Amino acid sequence: MRTKYRLGVDAGGTFTDFVLADRDGTVHLFKALSTPNDPTEAISNGLQLISEAVGLTAREIISQCDLCINGTTVGLNALIQHKGAKVGLICTRGHEDSIEIRLGHKEDGYRYDATYPPARMLVPRYLRRGVSERVVSDGSVMTPLNEQDVRDACEMFIAEGVETVAISFVWSVLHQEHERRAAEIVREMMPDVFLTVGSELYPQIREYTRTSTAITNAYLGPTLKKYVSGIDDYFRDLGARYPVRYFQSNGGLAIGQAMSDRSVYAINSGPASAPQAGLYVCSPFGHDDVITVDMGGTSFDITLTSGGNTNINKDIDFLRYRIGVPMIQVETLGAGGGSIGWIDDLGLLQVGPQSAGSAPGPACYGNGGDQPTVTDANLVLGYVNPDALLGGRMKLDREKSYAAVKEKIADPLGITVERAAHGMFTIVNNNMVNGIRRVSVERGYDPRDFVLVAAGGAGSAHITALAREMGINRVLVPKLASGLCAFGQIISDVKYNYMATCPLRLEGDAAYAQINDTYAEIEETGVKHLLADGFENDRIMIRRRIDMRYVGQVHECSVDIENFIIDAGSVDQLRDAFHAKHEQLYTYSERNTPIEVVNLESTLYGKVDRPDLPTLTAGADVTDAIKSHRPMIFSPDGTAIDGPVYDGSKLGAGAVVAGPAVIEETTTTIVIEPDWQASLHESGSYILTRNV
């Protein structure tokens, strides 16, 4: 760390989390209610809390930060709520409907469902303008670009009030001149428009994927540009010495300009930092098979890391839109503390995906909400202290929780409020367990081989129940759990992905030279950006990936390779890596079948120094940390038992707490079910184990 502090800010749907790390390893955690209409208001509120804790003004703190990092759900929320900008598409004539044809497929799970509605198009049909031009698959020009068609499209866009334009032509990755010239015309006629050029954003084969990615980027671009501009100005006015970094969905940091231009990388900005944080808190124990679950106020995010490597997705359907760029694989559910309990038409209890958010929030917030949420259920069950949320700064009204559960759930079902609350708790847990199974069991992993790491303000109250259902007997709950994603941001590297199309057979010196030259070209660009960003050569790391397939196949496999010169002497390493990957995915390989290369990708990292984990000292006797006892319900019949409540701030390294019990940390509550126990490690994580 170049200066005294490093600040991570993770803006969620309900709370905004703040993690401030000192150079000496001390980490401070704070939470403030999110303010979606003006994100800087939540940041200001959070900095006020930090100021009170460390005795410095916000200006003094920010001026002493080497990194101020922001993770945001702005892009994700705009896509979910369809509140992006008005987009115009310029494409090859005859391909105006490719985004609706969608390669002739529906999403997995709905392929044969005739009643499943079509996705809402981000560009209406009348704003998709085809122009005369055509490049064929060898990169040669069949039909030159008709520049007047582009000008006519721009005139129409101007008349319609289009704010952002996407350009995507067929085979443009092999001949970019048509797209570049069209972009020049758009900039000339519409100088203030946000412009996305498909072959620059996603320079890889697959026209539908490239077009959909470009449209999504264009749709979100003005929103992200406005957001980034506001955040940058806010921190600059506070005396920030270095530019704000933004967390990308590829798991790395980027400066604001990159985030604005490549807004599609912001879609999963917040939860994408969870794997890094999960691995970091597991490092003292030597675990690199980790499932990290983040339960906030609105959503439940799941990531899986096997052998220290987190799954990266490309060319996937995300919220029904095809995205080509690399993204950390995150399974997201509408299951958070604000998820609403309701009864469906069949009289069955359901929980979520609807959320009360931060406004009005759960009934217990007292802000006018009258719907029973998971937080309300946890309050009724005795898991949450109504006087202890956010360290006592936010009071909860248990009576309003009880009334909401009674009116909306218990009375209609003819059961007690306690049974209704436990039913809500059980159902939301089942929803989350199903999500964990999708990222583990359904992808060939046995979750019992993994450590479960709890994150998010609400996750610690559910973690032992989730582990029990999954058959996982070892859980880690960091003291930083409720701000784990913000912590993940401050330990992450700057990261940029550079891609290129390189269609050729993997044979012959000319082919090897083309691959080497293409890698060198895209990596040179990335290194220049990182050097300009202040990184020395010894802090820059490059990792390569190559998409290959057997000749005649439709789909390719992505293979990670070392950074070596490809020639006749080394090409067998490449072939062997592909055969092994193909066999892993499909149980067979065809070692006598020729291989062809499709796409190349280089990921460039600017390595960032990481703050040290804290080292806790041994505390007083565990019984001295008991602050009270209260009724807690762990049984479906609603029967309560009197359980101890521990003050987490009074527990030292080596402390062991047996369930049933609750440990109250400043920003989270850890529920320890019967037959579980928690021991506090010196690194600041609770190790929860099940008595089996």
Side-chain angles (χ1 to χ4, degrees):
M1 296 175 64
R2 294 169 290 185
T3 53
K4 186 175 182 180
Y5 296 116
R6 184 171 296 170
L7 176 68
V9 181
D10 182 33
T14 304
F15 288 101
T16 296
D17 300 333
F18 301 81
V19 167
L20 184 74
D22 292 346
R23 191 163 40 209
D24 61 8
T26 303
V27 179
H28 307 271
L29 173 62
F30 306 89
K31 296 178 88 71
L33 283 172
S34 294
T35 51
N37 293 331
D38 182 8
T40 59
E41 182 181 344
I43 295 175
S44 178
N45 294 338
L47 288 176
Q48 179 60 39
L49 297 175
I50 298 174
S51 297
E52 295 170 1
V54 302
L56 297 172
T57 66
R59 179 173 294 276
E60 289 172 326
I61 294 167
I62 297 304
S63 65
Q64 296 184 62
C65 284
D66 69 334
L67 283 176
C68 295
I69 303 163
N70 184 260
T72 176
T73 57
V74 167
L76 177 64
N77 292 339
L79 195 58
I80 290 173
Q81 300 170 24
H82 291 108
K83 291 185 177 179
K86 191 172 185 178
V87 185
L89 170 67
I90 298 176
C91 61
T92 302
R93 179 163 291 144
H95 289 257
E96 296 89 342
D97 297 317
S98 68
I99 61 171
E100 285 193 84
I101 296 171
R102 300 161 64 88
L103 303 179
H105 294 303
K106 294 183 180 180
E107 295 93 331
D108 289 343
Y110 300 96
R111 189 157 294 179
Y112 305 106
D113 184 354
T115 65
Y116 191 60
R120 177 173 172 177
M121 293 294 102
L122 301 182
V123 185
R125 181 62 177 81
Y126 77 99
L127 291 178
R128 297 176 225 151
R129 294 299 300 265
V131 301
S132 179
E133 73 86 37
R134 188 59 192 254
V135 174
V136 292
S137 60
D138 62 0
S140 61
V141 176
M142 175 184 290
T143 305
L145 174 68
N146 186 323
E147 295 188 6
Q148 187 57 46
D149 286 349
V150 180
R151 295 184 182 278
D152 292 344
C154 289
E155 289 178 358
M156 186 262 201
F157 291 161
I158 293 170
E160 293 292 335
V162 165
E163 307 165 78
T164 174
V165 173
I167 301 173
S168 182
F169 295 156
V170 174
W171 288 110
S172 59
V173 291
L174 298 181
H175 183 89
Q176 295 184 330
E177 283 73 10
H178 286 183
E179 281 193 0
R180 289 171 178 166
R181 178 55 188 148
E184 290 174 357
I185 295 171
V186 173
R187 291 190 179 100
E188 170 196 328
M189 297 185 65
M190 306 176 72
D192 297 326
V193 79
F194 185 93
L195 179 62
T196 299
V197 179
S199 60
E200 295 176 359
L201 176 68
Y202 182 68
Q204 295 200 339
I205 287 175
R206 296 199 187 284
E207 181 253 347
Y208 164 60
T209 299
R210 187 170 59 257
T211 302
S212 178
T213 304
I215 289 171
T216 306
N217 192 79
Y219 185 72
L220 301 177
T223 300
L224 262 296
K225 186 175 183 179
K226 179 180 178 182
Y227 175 83
V228 166
S229 176
I231 297 296
D232 282 352
D233 289 346
Y234 179 82
F235 279 95
R236 192 179 300 111
D237 291 344
L238 278 177
R241 297 167 58 187
Y242 304 99
V244 176
R245 309 293 178 141
Y246 295 86
F247 205 83
Q248 305 174 92
S249 53
N250 67 0
L253 307 178
I255 59 174
Q257 182 65 47
M259 198 68 154
S260 297
D261 293 344
R262 307 196 306 172
S263 57
V264 72
Y265 279 89
I267 289 176
N268 254 354
S269 169
S273 62
Q276 284 280 5
L279 280 173
Y280 196 60
V281 299
C282 285
S283 59
F285 312 101
H287 299 306
D288 59 6
D289 292 326
V290 182
I291 297 174
T292 306
V293 294
D294 185 346
M295 184 180 184
T298 306
S299 64
F300 181 73
D301 302 311
I302 314 156
T303 56
L304 183 145
T305 301
S306 177
N309 297 311
T310 303
N311 288 341
I312 299 286
N313 276 337
K314 289 198 313 181
D315 194 15
I316 61 167
D317 290 317
F318 185 87
L319 294 174
R320 307 198 69 188
Y321 301 105
R322 182 63 59 90
I323 305 295
V325 300
M327 299 170 60
I328 294 289
Q329 190 175 53
V330 181
E331 181 81 16
T332 299
L333 312 176
S339 294
I340 296 170
W342 53 285
I343 299 172
D344 65 17
D345 294 339
L346 298 177
L348 301 176
L349 176 60
Q350 306 287 346
V351 179
Q354 309 95 316
S355 175
S358 59
C364 59
Y365 281 14
N367 292 332
D370 61 356
Q371 299 298 314
T373 67
V374 172
T375 297
D376 294 307
N378 287 344
L379 200 56
V380 171
L381 294 172
Y383 301 161
V384 178
N385 184 345
D387 298 321
L389 195 68
L390 302 186
R393 290 186 292 103
M394 186 173 181
K395 305 294 184 181
L396 302 180
D397 192 329
R398 188 180 186 279
E399 291 184 1
K400 289 185 177 178
S401 291
Y402 193 94
V405 175
K406 183 177 189 300
E407 178 186 352
K408 305 293 185 179
I409 306 296
D411 287 351
L413 293 177
I415 58 177
T416 66
V417 173
E418 291 76 13
R419 287 188 64 190
H422 195 275
M424 290 177 61
F425 180 79
T426 301
I427 288 173
V428 76
N429 288 343
N430 287 339
N431 293 343
M432 293 187 285
V433 164
N434 289 335
I436 297 172
R437 287 198 175 106
R438 282 195 289 274
V439 304
S440 57
V441 177
E442 293 182 13
R443 296 192 174 108
Y445 298 103
D446 187 338
R448 294 170 296 184
D449 296 334
F450 288 73
V451 175
L452 193 62
V453 176
S460 303
H462 295 256
I463 198 66
T464 53
L466 298 179
R468 170 172 44 81
E469 288 295 324
M470 296 299 301
I472 298 174
N473 295 321
R474 189 175 178 87
V475 174
L476 256 63
V477 182
K479 279 179 170 284
L480 295 169
S482 67
L484 197 64
C485 284
F487 179 73
Q489 293 168 11
I490 68 172
I491 63 172
S492 295
D493 300 317
V494 173
K495 181 179 179 181
Y496 295 113
N497 296 96
Y498 294 89
M499 295 171 282
T501 285
C502 191
L504 50 79
R505 284 203 179 191
L506 190 60
E507 53 190 41
D509 290 341
Y512 308 150
Q514 186 173 341
I515 295 172
N516 293 325
D517 291 345
T518 304
Y519 269 128
E521 181 181 345
I522 61 178
E523 289 166 1
E524 180 183 10
T525 301
V527 168
K528 285 181 179 178
H529 286 165
L530 289 172
L531 290 173
D533 206 8
F535 290 95
E536 301 293 336
N537 278 305
D538 62 352
R539 305 294 293 173
I540 296 174
M541 184 179 72
I542 301 173
R543 288 184 177 170
R544 291 177 174 177
R545 173 173 287 196
I546 185 166
D547 294 343
M548 295 182 285
R549 63 191 178 193
Y550 292 119
V551 171
Q553 284 187 317
V554 175
H555 297 288
E556 58 272 5
C557 299
S558 294
V559 180
D560 294 317
I561 62 171
E562 299 296 328
N563 299 355
F564 56 84
I565 298 297
I566 298 171
D567 54 28
S570 64
V571 71
D572 283 344
Q573 295 181 52
L574 202 55
R575 293 193 180 104
D576 290 342
F578 171 70
H579 293 314
K581 183 69 171 182
H582 197 279
E583 193 159 342
Q584 176 190 347
L585 292 174
Y586 305 112
T587 73
Y588 76 97
S589 59
E590 298 178 356
R591 292 183 175 267
N592 294 322
T593 300
I595 299 170
E596 61 184 6
V597 173
V598 182
N599 298 312
L600 306 181
E601 179 183 341
S602 287
T603 303
L604 281 84
Y605 298 83
K607 303 297 291 182
V608 172
D609 291 328
R610 295 181 170 186
D612 295 328
L613 282 169
T615 301
L616 301 182
T617 58
D621 190 277
V622 173
T623 57
D624 294 339
I626 297 177
K627 57 192 297 188
S628 65
H629 287 74
R630 64 170 177 257
M632 304 173 188
I633 298 171
F634 295 98
S635 172
D637 63 9
T639 301
I641 59 176
D642 201 40
V645 179
Y646 292 82
D647 183 347
S649 65
K650 294 182 179 180
L651 294 173
V656 177
V657 174
V662 163
I663 301 174
E664 291 181 351
E665 291 286 344
T666 303
T667 58
T668 193
T669 298
I670 306 170
V671 175
I672 307 170
E673 290 191 328
D675 297 327
W676 285 78
Q677 71 173 23
S679 60
L680 181 57
H681 190 262
E682 64 177 9
S683 64
S685 291
Y686 291 95
I687 306 169
L688 277 57
T689 53
R690 186 181 182 190
N691 302 321
V692 293

